[in-house]
Amino acid sequence: MSLCGTTSGSTFRGSKRSLEKGSPLAGNEVALPPMQELEDAGILLPASLPFKRIQLSEKYPKGQARGRHWKHLKQMLQAETYHLYPADEPNYMNIEAPPSMYPAKKYCDITGFEAPYKDPKTKLQYANTDIFKQIRALPNESVQQYLSLRNAQVVLK
Amino acid sequence: MPSVPRQDDYDSFDPSRAIVIDNGAYSCRVGWAGEFEPRMRFRNVLHRPRLKASGNVINIVGDYDPALSRFLDFTRSSYRSAFDTNVVYQFETMECVFDYVFNRLGVDSNTIEHPVLLTECPCNPLYSRSKMAELLFETYGVPSLGLGIDGVFSYLHNKRLGRCGADGLVVCSGFTTTHSIPIYHGEPILEACCRVNVGGYHVTDYLRRLLCLEYPYHVASLSWDKVESLKFEHGYIAEDYSMELKLFQEGDKLAEEKLRYWQLPWVPPPVEEKPSEEELARKAAIKEKQSQRLRDMAAAKRSYKIADLEAEIQGLEQLLDDLDNVEEADVDSILTGSGYSSRREIEAALSKSSISLKKAKGEFVKIEKEPEKELDPEKYPLLDVPNEMLTPEQLKEKKKQLFLKSTAEGRIRARLKRQEEESLREQEHNLEEDKRLANPEQYLEDLRARQAELAAKIDQRKKQKLAAGSTGSVGRSERLSAAQKERMKLLTTAAFDRGKEDTFGQRDEDWQLYKKIGKDDDDDEADEDEMELSRLNARLQVI
């Protein structure tokens, strides 16, 4: 991505200021203070914006605890009292699709191809005999890693 | 994503033109109603790095030029998003994003006169919606606010373009969720709307996990952003997934065309240049110089040592000469002055120094074994003097002499014993030899009989051991040999005696207990037997 400074064709280093000064360091990174360069890049916003009724700094004064608690989605949903509404009224909770009723399609854990076979030892699904050989050569650790890709790994509790 | 410089045509828009903000969990797009393209689009995130120069925290919304990161310290905080899944919850972050949006849009006036159209997820929780409205009305003072579902807006737009009819189904796949919204007579049917919590994030994450598993050495370079850019660059949607899979499985030409090869940015390892001839020569010269210096140092050290030793020897010889020449009475004073206690000691020191001198000079020294020193009473003069007649210092000296004498005596005794044993063995051997010569057949028979007996004994012992090992159910007492049992008994009695008054050690017999306990004659016996057997075997073979 690029920022305002770059899109206009000029690089940050060759900004007008240092060129005006005719400093021998023009074009050198040291010539510009970092703040100036950041401002030129256009990613810094002024501390107070005229169109705002309350400035950010007034709302969230510096020095006060930043960790203002915002309700997470879960807490929001708990506070929504959806159970009081009629059941056929759509809401965030009940538009979520239920788990699929269809059996999961089986894909090879190594190649991603369709897997007609499953190794009873490692429980890995595989597409053909070459991959079966490969599976049997795998250490248990990577077998578990492959299984964990489809949430089928052995979890010890 | 290209970021747009601050717009300068804000004032040219009529106050009735709405500002459209497509507030997505991944990217935010902002533009004017009625225009075809958004004026800007950026990652909907907020970075809060510290300035390296001043240490102040600054807010950076969206993407930034990586070249600028040399001024910024990102280690304290990662980027943050206002979204939890697809719902806005962090309104402080949201406010920073809106600041950026309106500032970039070129708002210079004191108020925002344009209506704002904002997108939200289907069935946005009321809490989030009300907070959003509160923020836009109270902080920004927007005149009016419209909220809508992005997918539905898109459908309506496409309907107007004639791409779809009045009825249809919107499948809208976002960053973290995918919705399907049926449209009936141009109206979304939210009752039939469905959400699956899978989105582009999960695709990227899955791709990253696959790549990390496949290339465990490149986990560090397979960052989330890199994998995401990979996905955008090379990913495509298969119209028929199973057909596409077959295509790749068969590996025909079409699949090869679709195959992508991608190389991680490669940083060349520092090339080790082969040292030139000159450099090699220089290095060799330096090495030679260093070793020469070491040799010189060693030589200097040796010459010093030789000089020292020579001086010492000279001094000692001088001392001996002096001792020879002076009267008997002056001997003591000379001796005390020199630090030696006797003439003998001086001579010993002299011989020692001369040997080391020879060694230092590199001459071959045959170290003669010291002649067997018989216990000479001269060496321990204080031993015969009664204690009462000695000063405390001399008493100490006497003790030392006593110790030295006893150790010397011990050594001699041990030597004698060794000799005795040797002669005994010799005798036995001779005896056997005599027997053999006298009656070879009888001797041989005896030998064989003894061998058989021993072998049987060892075998039996082995069997016993094995039997003891195999019968696991038998108690501990059965597994122990008689000697071990005895030992256990002694130990237990000792343990139970603890309660009584402890008088152990007062009588000498008490210590015999340890001998009894420590005796493990079973094993010893076995060892002896085995040794004897091997000896007999060897002997038989010789004969």
Side-chain angles (χ1 to χ4, degrees), chain B residues 22-304:
Chain B
D22 183 4
N23 192 25
Y26 178 77
S27 70
C28 184
R29 282 142 293 191
V30 182
W32 290 100
E35 289 186 355
F36 266 81
E37 285 297 315
R39 289 296 180 95
M40 54 178 153
R41 46 173 85 214
F42 52 90
R43 274 294 295 273
N44 205 344
V45 290
L46 171 70
H47 302 269
R48 289 179 58 79
R50 273 166 195 280
L51 282 175
K52 271 183 187 163
S54 59
N56 290 335
V57 176
I58 57 165
N59 290 342
I60 296 178
V61 176
D63 310 273
Y64 57 92
D65 194 310
L68 290 172
S69 62
R70 62 176 190 268
F71 303 123
L72 306 168
D73 174 18
F74 285 94
T75 51
R76 288 282 189 86
S77 68
S78 147
Y79 65 84
R80 48 183 87 176
S81 162
F83 285 82
D84 185 354
T85 317
N86 57 348
V87 174
V88 180
Y89 85 107
Q90 250 275 14
F91 288 91
E92 190 182 337
T93 309
M94 199 70 251
E95 191 174 335
C96 293
V97 173
F98 281 145
D99 279 357
Y100 179 76
V101 163
F102 291 122
N103 180 266
R104 291 294 102 186
L105 216 50
V107 184
D108 271 329
S109 56
N110 287 335
T111 49
I112 298 166
E113 301 104 22
H114 299 272
V116 171
L117 182 65
L118 192 68
T119 62
E120 59 170 17
C121 68
C123 302
N124 196 13
L126 279 182
Y127 177 85
S128 172
R129 191 179 290 171
S130 64
K131 280 278 174 195
M132 182 66 88
E134 185 186 315
L135 176 70
L136 281 169
F137 283 125
E138 291 185 10
T139 307
Y140 294 96
V142 297
S144 58
L145 173 66
L147 289 167
I149 300 163
D150 46 355
V152 179
F153 285 148
S154 167
Y155 187 88
L156 295 179
H157 176 71
N158 281 302
K159 198 178 92 179
R160 235 180 47 191
L161 293 179
R163 287 180 191 146
C164 45
D167 305 337
L169 181 74
V170 179
V171 178
C172 170
S173 194
F175 187 50
T176 52
T177 54
T178 301
H179 287 92
S180 64
I181 309 163
I183 312 279
Y184 183 66
H185 291 312
E187 285 293 315
I189 313 294
L190 281 184
E191 285 82 355
C193 167
C194 228
R195 186 186 73 240
V196 179
N197 285 333
V198 174
Y201 167 83
H202 302 91
V203 175
T204 307
D205 200 52
Y206 187 66
L207 180 60
R208 197 178 81 90
R209 281 164 72 188
L210 279 175
L211 287 173
C212 285
L213 198 56
E214 199 74 7
Y215 307 102
Y217 296 115
H218 301 297
V219 170
S221 17
L222 290 166
S223 67
W224 212 90
D225 294 325
K226 182 130 272 169
V227 176
E228 189 174 60
S229 67
L230 258 181
K231 180 184 83 173
F232 285 143
E233 208 177 323
H234 301 299
Y236 65 95
I237 292 167
E239 280 175 21
D240 184 342
Y241 189 66
S242 57
M243 284 304 293
E244 202 82 5
L245 274 186
K246 284 221 177 71
L247 200 75
F248 278 103
Q249 198 162 10
E250 280 153 18
D252 65 359
K253 221 175 154 192
L254 209 64
E256 254 169 57
E257 273 169 28
K258 285 184 175 178
L259 215 58
R260 303 293 168 87
Y261 294 96
W262 188 76
Q263 191 183 2
L264 279 170
W266 183 70
V267 182
V271 184
E272 250 181 72
E273 276 180 30
K274 264 210 161 176
S276 62
E277 287 282 312
E278 241 174 73
E279 203 165 333
L280 280 176
R282 212 180 63 225
K283 269 186 185 164
I286 289 172
K287 207 171 168 190
E288 177 59 29
K289 219 167 150 185
Q290 279 170 339
S291 63
Q292 184 58 45
R293 214 182 64 206
L294 280 177
R295 277 201 294 273
D296 287 351
M297 266 162 66
K301 212 171 161 188
R302 215 177 69 191
S303 68
Y304 277 133

Side-chain angles (χ1 to χ4, degrees), chain B residues 461-477:
Chain B
R461 193 170 286 126
K462 262 187 199 160
K463 248 183 229 164
Q464 245 177 7
K465 259 189 195 166
L466 278 177
S470 63
T471 52
S473 60
V474 180
R476 182 171 160 76
S477 60

Side-chain angles (χ1 to χ4, degrees), chain B residues 180-435:
Chain B
S180 64
I181 309 163
I183 312 279
Y184 183 66
H185 291 312
E187 285 293 315
I189 313 294
L190 281 184
E191 285 82 355
C193 167
C194 228
R195 186 186 73 240
V196 179
N197 285 333
V198 174
Y201 167 83
H202 302 91
V203 175
T204 307
D205 200 52
Y206 187 66
L207 180 60
R208 197 178 81 90
R209 281 164 72 188
L210 279 175
L211 287 173
C212 285
L213 198 56
E214 199 74 7
Y215 307 102
Y217 296 115
H218 301 297
V219 170
S221 17
L222 290 166
S223 67
W224 212 90
D225 294 325
K226 182 130 272 169
V227 176
E228 189 174 60
S229 67
L230 258 181
K231 180 184 83 173
F232 285 143
E233 208 177 323
H234 301 299
Y236 65 95
I237 292 167
E239 280 175 21
D240 184 342
Y241 189 66
S242 57
M243 284 304 293
E244 202 82 5
L245 274 186
K246 284 221 177 71
L247 200 75
F248 278 103
Q249 198 162 10
E250 280 153 18
D252 65 359
K253 221 175 154 192
L254 209 64
E256 254 169 57
E257 273 169 28
K258 285 184 175 178
L259 215 58
R260 303 293 168 87
Y261 294 96
W262 188 76
Q263 191 183 2
L264 279 170
W266 183 70
V267 182
V271 184
E272 250 181 72
E273 276 180 30
K274 264 210 161 176
S276 62
E277 287 282 312
E278 241 174 73
E279 203 165 333
L280 280 176
R282 212 180 63 225
K283 269 186 185 164
I286 289 172
K287 207 171 168 190
E288 177 59 29
K289 219 167 150 185
Q290 279 170 339
S291 63
Q292 184 58 45
R293 214 182 64 206
L294 280 177
R295 277 201 294 273
D296 287 351
M297 266 162 66
K301 212 171 161 188
R302 215 177 69 191
S303 68
Y304 277 133
K305 200 176 168 189
I306 288 169
D308 277 355
L309 284 169
E310 270 170 358
E312 200 183 330
I313 287 167
Q314 221 173 359
L316 286 171
E317 274 166 358
Q318 181 72 37
L319 203 63
L320 284 176
D321 276 354
D322 285 354
L323 282 176
D324 284 341
N325 296 336
V326 295
E327 304 289 315
E328 194 67 20
D330 290 339
V331 168
D332 271 349
S333 66
I334 290 176
L335 278 178
T336 47
S338 66
Y340 290 98
S341 55
S342 68
R343 193 189 170 83
R344 194 185 283 270
E345 218 171 291
I346 296 173
E347 277 164 1
L350 181 61
S351 70
K352 207 171 138 196
S353 315
S354 53
I355 286 172
S356 11
L357 178 63
K358 275 182 194 164
K359 261 191 200 164
K361 282 181 176 168
E363 290 165 26
F364 179 70
V365 185
K366 193 177 151 204
I367 299 169
E368 295 164 34
K369 223 182 169 189
E370 276 186 63
E372 291 287 335
K373 271 184 256 161
E374 288 306 314
L375 285 176
D376 47 350
E378 240 180 274
K379 254 179 131 179
Y380 314 106
L382 289 173
L383 284 185
D384 298 330
V385 187
N387 281 354
E388 295 84 41
M389 289 169 69
L390 296 170
T391 59
E393 239 165 78
Q394 279 173 318
L395 265 176
K396 223 183 250 171
E397 187 66 19
K398 185 180 169 180
K399 252 186 209 161
K400 205 166 134 194
Q401 285 181 2
L402 193 66
F403 173 71
L404 283 174
K405 192 183 168 189
S406 58
T407 46
E409 278 171 350
R411 267 202 299 274
I412 290 165
R413 234 178 290 136
R415 202 169 51 235
L416 281 178
K417 203 174 166 192
R418 263 204 309 279
Q419 282 168 355
E420 218 167 278
E421 269 174 19
E422 230 156 78
S423 67
L424 211 70
R425 220 174 294 146
E426 188 82 358
Q427 257 178 6
E428 229 168 68
H429 192 252
N430 286 345
L431 210 73
E432 238 175 48
E433 201 69 355
D434 286 348
K435 247 194 222 168

